[in-house]
Amino acid sequence: MILDIQNLKTYYQTEKGAVKANDDITLSIDKNEVVGLAGESGCGKSTLIRTIMRLVPKSAQVTARKMTFKGQDILSMPDKEFREKILWRGISMVPQSAMNALNPVYRVGDQCIEAIQAHTDYNKAKCVEIVEGLFDAVGLQAGMMKAYPHEFSGGMRQRSMIAMSLVLNPALVIMDEPTTGLDVLVQERILRNLKEIRQKAESSASILLITHDISVIAEMSDRIGIMYAGRLMETAESMELFNEPYHPYTLGLKNAFPSIKALDRELISIPGSPPDLLGDLPGCLFAFRCPFAIPECETTRPPDMEVKPGHFVHCIRTDHIEEFRKRAGDKKTWQSSKSAI
Amino acid sequence: MAILEVSDLKQYFYLKPDFLAKFAGGKEARIIKAVDGVSFSMETGEILGIAGESGCGKSTACLAVAKLREPTGGAILYKDRNITKMSKKEIRNYRREVQLIFQDPYESLNPRHTVFDLVAEPLRALTDKSKATIKERTMETIEMAGLQPDEYKSRYPHQMSGGERQRVGIAQALVLEPKLVIADEPLSMLDVSIRAGILDLIRDMSKQMNFSCIYVSHDLSILANISDRLMIMYLGRIMEMGATRDIITEPRHPYARALIAAIPIPDPAYKRPIPEIKGEVAQPIDPPPGCRFQTRCLQVMDICRNTEPPLKELKPGHFVACHLY
């Protein structure tokens, strides 16, 4: 196992109380695996990666039962050691809006080389060789290393960021919305590049892919986690999650997502909006939008049920799932939930 | 009856020659042909989807139709009147009947106005209705947009979620009972779980109030869902236009084919084909003669390099601009 997180909590302290941006997240990533995390804005997916990368503000309160990377405890590790041993070498990140993450006054190639030199004592020639290889892998010509970021299109910048994240051959690459804001053909090319890179044996990085686009997650991931209001609602193998979803929120998302392969399917939105993460809500945070909620849902916090090996669901009503699946395809079902407009 | 008829619409922007070029011998101004000869017509009550990558001119074309920018050339006929030659009075009427739904509900609402004022504003500005009528009409429209009028009328934008704000934006557009609504990426800032509700709202209202709608988006999955007809643009020109289902299931133009092949499908079992396309989007600056798509097309022929393909009607209502057909 590359990354093992158990019961991670990240609370932001504010004047009004704690914002529970991540609340009891349990997630693991195996070697060579692509795990996709999907969720709406404000569901805590970006907080999760910031917590892993130690990018949360100092005031944030981070606790976990366990948080290890290749067996090393990365929760209590001193900052200096984390920076030297884990960052880039172990875990690298392609940040959100990677389009703007490059320094405009340095050549793109030099920025990649800088990342290598900051963490190793390789000589320049070796660095250039590494970057050339990766530029080639993401479909950029080696000559492009001499270019400045403004000479690149959005897609090229994003690809150079992906190349940069791979320079030290990390075991885990975290990608935060890697294709958001890019045109569909550019997105397609980047996803294809990622797949090609993964097929090459030498770089067998695991990927934690975070996006709100379920189609991208479906295409790329081996395993999928669905986040909502700071909690992980459901995790399962991709096929299983799509074919046999257990959580009502997952059922709702599936309904809401358009597909050009199902032109006749009516899209159904989930009424209401996510709750405020401030304060103490005792029960399931989806209960207010859930058409299948019973009074108990609002008072009892659901445990992570393992409904099948490796398939975890954060819901107390999983024994009624057959009925839910039948009813979820009907628009009227959703209009009956508490927050229906 | 066609409510809107756009013929040979052109919108050019002139780039100032840069300093060095001037120094080297006064190079002529370069031209960005953002929209270059676009023709289409719209029927009453119809939803036309315009798709294309960034820079294809889809938003620019809409701005011209909304009369927010004077086109460089071509004609836009609204109810058989050319909008560039309208009198002031006619323009005022046009502004009433043609409304916009904006992309970003976070930026497009005045933060100091309540929902009531936001929705009433177009009535106050463009009609001479009495206060009582305005109030009644405003409350009605807020409710139509799916918000409880009594609960929402005194709220400010910051007290609402993105979806609620976009409903206010739609109420603003619909309060004048428009005949044509232009929606430019109205969902792109909203979360997936609530998008379907906004789509339904636009579609239901279009049926109920019988207005036509131009829906602009780069997301073909959404367009496939909402639009009756689809128009695919590339670098300022129409590549393919026809019934949505025909284009999505059987695209003809090589560009449309690539674009549709590239759409990810929310199904892990689906194996997406590799789109047949090369290179990246060029700038619409001084385009070469011939087809705009020639530099990226894998089926490019000699004729594509020198003759611009006309928009041919392959079957009734299905147009393709490609020499292959």
Side-chain angles (χ1 to χ4, degrees):
Chain A
M1 206 177 286
I2 295 290
L3 186 73
D4 188 8
I5 298 174
Q6 288 179 15
N7 304 85
L8 172 71
K9 293 178 179 158
T10 303
Y11 294 175
Y12 294 118
Q13 296 300 336
T14 67
E15 282 174 14
K16 291 179 193 157
V19 172
K20 298 177 173 175
N22 277 173
D23 204 4
D24 260 336
I25 302 284
T26 297
L27 182 75
S28 65
I29 299 172
D30 274 332
K31 194 170 185 325
N32 236 328
E33 192 181 33
V34 180
V35 174
L37 268 187
E40 302 178 69
S41 37
C43 73
K45 50 194 196 303
S46 292
T47 294
L48 176 64
I49 42 185
R50 287 201 196 114
T51 306
I52 299 171
M53 298 300 279
R54 294 203 180 180
L55 294 172
V56 285
K58 280 271 175 279
S59 62
Q61 186 191 329
V62 180
T63 56
R65 197 152 63 82
K66 187 180 180 191
M67 187 152 103
T68 60
F69 171 72
K70 283 183 167 175
Q72 307 167 78
D73 181 358
I74 52 168
L75 189 67
S76 59
M77 187 182 278
D79 274 347
K80 186 160 181 279
E81 195 185 344
F82 183 77
R83 210 163 41 234
E84 282 168 1
K85 284 193 182 158
I86 308 293
L87 280 183
W88 288 94
R89 280 168 178 273
I91 309 175
S92 67
M93 175 172 165
V94 179
Q96 199 168 4
S97 73
M99 317 256 293
N100 305 320
L102 291 161
N103 188 329
V105 297
Y106 288 98
R107 296 178 198 276
V108 178
D110 290 347
Q111 297 186 46
C112 297
I113 289 168
E114 191 192 354
I116 307 176
Q117 285 178 333
H119 292 269
T120 64
D121 47 12
Y122 294 165
N123 63 24
K124 180 89 190 256
K126 168 120 196 202
C127 296
V128 171
E129 190 192 316
I130 293 173
V131 178
E132 272 178 358
L134 285 168
F135 263 46
D136 182 51
V138 296
L140 295 170
Q141 287 159 347
M144 297 282 198
M145 282 174 64
K146 293 244 184 291
Y148 287 94
H150 75 267
E151 296 171 85
F152 276 15
S153 67
M156 287 157 78
R157 276 183 233 173
Q158 186 62 280
R159 278 185 268 154
S160 65
M161 286 304 294
I162 291 171
M164 200 194 281
S165 73
L166 296 171
V167 286
L168 292 178
N169 211 352
L172 173 66
V173 183
I174 298 177
M175 300 190 173
D176 192 359
E177 305 271 7
T179 57
T180 304
L182 297 174
D183 279 315
V184 61
L185 281 161
V186 182
Q187 163 174 294
E188 193 278 334
R189 182 120 167 238
I190 287 174
L191 297 182
R192 189 145 41 93
N193 280 148
L194 279 177
K195 285 183 206 156
E196 284 163 8
I197 291 169
R198 280 175 42 73
Q199 276 161 9
K200 287 178 190 161
E202 66 265 32
S203 58
S204 54
S206 307
I207 296 177
L208 176 59
L209 177 70
I210 298 208
T211 165
H212 67 277
D213 190 336
I214 297 181
S215 327
V216 170
I217 292 250
E219 185 168 327
M220 298 298 294
S221 318
D222 303 316
R223 211 145 49 81
I224 297 175
I226 304 285
M227 277 189 83
Y228 182 78
R231 298 180 187 173
L232 207 48
M233 292 302 190
E234 182 163 7
T235 9
E237 298 279 327
S238 308
M239 291 289 186
E240 193 167 314
L241 190 101
F242 273 84
N243 297 332
E244 288 177 69
Y246 268 84
H247 200 286
Y249 181 60
T250 315
L251 292 172
L253 276 185
K254 265 189 79 181
N255 281 334
F257 220 87
S259 167
I260 55 156
K261 293 293 166 197
L263 291 175
D264 294 316
R265 181 167 60 85
E266 185 184 27
L267 298 183
I268 309 171
S269 64
I270 306 174
S273 45
D276 196 347
L277 298 181
L278 200 69
D280 263 322
L281 289 165
C284 170
L285 293 183
F286 186 61
F288 315 93
R289 298 174 78 186
C290 181
F292 312 120
I294 50 175
E296 209 187 329
C297 292
E298 286 179 36
T299 53
T300 315
R301 178 153 177 171
D304 281 331
M305 303 260 295
E306 190 164 10
V307 288
K308 279 185 186 174
H311 190 156
F312 293 92
V313 184
H314 192 71
C315 179
I316 55 171
R317 302 204 67 199
T318 47
D319 45 337
H320 292 78
I321 188 63
E322 294 292 337
E323 181 206 337
F324 295 169
R325 283 190 200 136
K326 253 178 238 153
R327 287 175 53 203
D330 186 355
K331 203 170 195 170
K332 289 194 194 87
T333 304
W334 295 88
Q335 283 157 351
S336 70
S337 82
K338 268 193 158 181
S339 55
I341 294 173
Chain B
M1 178 194 110
I3 182 166
L4 185 76
E5 208 151 344
V6 175
S7 52
D8 203 24
L9 180 68
K10 288 188 173 107
Q11 184 83 62
Y12 295 171
F13 299 101
Y14 297 88
L15 283 180
K16 279 193 188 135
D18 68 53
F19 176 75
L20 280 176
K22 224 184 224 168
F23 209 69
K27 219 178 125 193
E28 269 179 50
R30 299 202 298 167
I31 303 172
I32 297 182
K33 298 187 172 175
V35 177
D36 195 15
V38 162
S39 307
F40 63 94
S41 70
M42 283 186 74
E43 301 296 321
T44 305
E46 168 186 57
I47 301 181
L48 172 72
I50 305 185
E53 295 177 89
S54 346
C56 73
K58 55 194 193 297
S59 295
T60 310
C62 285
L63 287 180
V65 172
K67 202 169 164 60
L68 293 175
R69 192 179 274 135
E70 286 303 304
T72 315
I76 301 170
L77 298 182
Y78 174 74
K79 292 183 176 168
D80 295 331
R81 293 281 300 142
N82 191 339
I83 68 162
T84 54
K85 298 195 173 84
M86 279 179 173
S87 67
K88 270 200 169 154
K89 200 177 155 205
E90 280 178 307
I91 288 173
R92 204 170 146 80
N93 186 49
Y94 186 70
R95 296 250 179 263
R96 252 198 309 267
E97 295 189 0
V98 178
Q99 289 293 316
L100 290 140
I101 299 172
F102 297 100
Q103 175 173 12
D104 188 344
Y106 296 89
E107 300 286 336
S108 58
L109 300 177
N110 187 331
R112 288 163 174 276
H113 284 191
T114 60
V115 168
F116 183 87
D117 285 333
L118 285 165
V119 178
E121 182 65 21
L123 287 171
R124 290 176 186 151
L126 288 170
T127 66
D128 39 22
K129 288 189 164 64
S130 73
K131 241 183 166 172
T133 324
I134 288 181
K135 185 171 179 206
E136 191 189 336
R137 178 83 197 116
T138 304
M139 296 297 261
E140 253 174 47
T141 312
I142 296 175
E143 183 161 15
M144 255 171 21
L147 302 171
Q148 272 301 323
D150 288 318
E151 197 187 326
Y152 281 90
K153 65 177 182 200
S154 14
R155 286 209 199 178
Y156 287 93
H158 73 268
Q159 295 168 307
M160 293 184 290
S161 69
E164 289 165 334
R165 286 183 215 210
Q166 195 56 291
R167 285 176 188 273
V168 174
I170 291 171
Q172 283 184 310
L174 301 189
V175 73
L176 289 166
E177 297 177 69
K179 300 281 178 280
L180 174 65
V181 171
I182 299 168
D184 193 350
E185 301 263 16
L187 296 187
S188 65
M189 306 291 288
L190 303 180
D191 273 317
V192 173
S193 71
I194 54 167
R195 284 183 178 183
I198 304 287
L199 272 185
D200 281 350
L201 177 65
I202 295 175
R203 185 174 28 218
D204 293 349
M205 286 298 113
S206 148
K207 281 210 187 89
Q208 203 177 314
M209 300 171 70
N210 204 25
F211 61 75
S212 313
C213 179
I214 300 181
Y215 191 107
V216 178
S217 178
H218 69 280
D219 189 336
L220 275 156
S221 324
I222 289 174
L223 287 173
N225 200 273
I226 191 169
S227 54
D228 303 314
R229 265 193 319 139
L230 203 55
M231 176 166 129
I232 293 181
M233 288 181 69
Y234 185 76
L235 293 187
R237 289 189 68 88
I238 298 175
M239 297 287 118
E240 185 158 355
M241 180 162 69
T244 303
R245 190 170 292 257
D246 291 350
I247 294 190
I248 295 288
T249 54
E250 208 188 330
R252 301 297 189 89
H253 195 285
Y255 179 63
R257 283 209 296 260
L259 203 58
I260 285 161
I263 302 171
I265 307 295
D267 176 5
Y270 181 76
K271 294 278 166 275
R272 207 168 35 72
I274 295 176
E276 292 180 6
I277 194 165
K278 60 184 180 186
E280 295 201 18
V281 178
Q283 291 281 328
I285 305 173
D286 299 333
C291 176
R292 294 288 158 100
F293 187 60
Q294 58 176 285
T295 52
R296 303 185 70 191
C297 187
L298 298 185
Q299 288 165 284
V300 62
M301 303 173 288
D302 282 341
I303 185 172
C304 306
R305 296 198 178 88
N306 43 50
T307 314
E308 182 124 33
L311 206 54
K312 260 183 243 158
E313 190 162 12
L314 288 189
K315 62 177 192 184
H318 195 142
F319 299 85
V320 179
C322 181
H323 290 301
L324 287 173
Y325 301 99

